[in-house]
Amino acid sequence: MKRLIAVIALAGGVLGAGIGTTAWSAELTTIETQKTKDAVITLKSETAQWKPGKNTFVLEFTSPAGQPLDAGKVTLSTSMSMPGMAPMVAGATLSPDKVPGRYLGTIDFPDRGTRQVTVTWDGPAGKGSATFPVPVR
Ligand SMILES: [Cu+2]
C-alpha cells in the first residue's frame, strides 16, 4: 500500500509539471518555418493553422544559429492565384512584441486555399525577404 501511494504521488508530480509547461508555451504551435541565408522565420499560432476569417499569429526571426534577430520593419503579404480571376491578396497587420525578433500579427482570409506568403524585413540585422506557401484550411 505504501508503494502505491508513492506511485500516485509521483504521477501527480509529473502531471503537475506537464500542466506548468503547457501554461507557459504550448499555446503556440508552429505553422511554418522558413530558412534563408541570414534568418530563420517561424510562423506560429494557437490554432496551428490559418483558417478563413480573422487569424492571429506570431512571427519570429532568429539567426541561423538560433539567436533572436531584430528584424526591424517587417511586412507579411499573401497572394492566392485562382483560375479566371485576379490573384486574391491579403496583408497582415504586424506589431513588434516585447521580445526582439518577435511580431504579433493579424490577417483576414475570405476563403480556403494555399497562399504564397511573402515576408520582408529591414532592420539592424540587415534586410531580406522570403516567400513560402501556407495553406488556409
Ligand atoms: Cu481565393
Side-chain angles (χ1 to χ4, degrees):
M1 192 58 196
K2 221 171 204 175
R3 177 181 281 177
L4 179 61
I5 289 167
V7 167
I8 290 168
L10 181 64
V14 170
L15 188 64
I19 289 167
T21 307
T22 302
W24 169 243
S25 65
E27 291 179 4
L28 291 174
T29 305
T30 297
I31 297 177
E32 187 65 45
T33 300
Q34 187 69 21
K35 293 175 184 176
T36 72
K37 186 166 56 74
D38 305 311
V40 179
I41 302 150
T42 307
L43 177 64
K44 299 177 177 182
S45 85
E46 288 182 3
T47 54
Q49 61 183 24
W50 276 347
K51 298 171 178 174
K54 190 176 179 186
N55 295 265
T56 60
F57 64 90
V58 170
L59 195 63
E60 284 179 350
F61 290 80
T62 57
S63 70
Q67 304 297 320
L69 194 74
D70 185 357
K73 184 173 165 33
V74 173
T75 67
L76 184 151
S77 59
T78 70
S79 176
M80 178 169 68
S81 52
M82 300 184 76
M85 59 181 276
M88 301 176 66
V89 294
T93 303
L94 288 172
S95 55
D97 198 3
K98 295 179 189 99
V99 184
R102 199 166 198 264
Y103 298 79
L104 308 178
T106 61
I107 193 164
D108 217 312
F109 297 112
D111 63 358
R112 293 183 163 80
T114 297
R115 265 61 182 184
Q116 289 301 317
V117 176
T118 300
V119 173
T120 70
W121 62 96
D122 187 354
K127 55 169 25 179
S129 73
T131 300
F132 50 93
V134 176
V136 175
R137 301 181 212 268

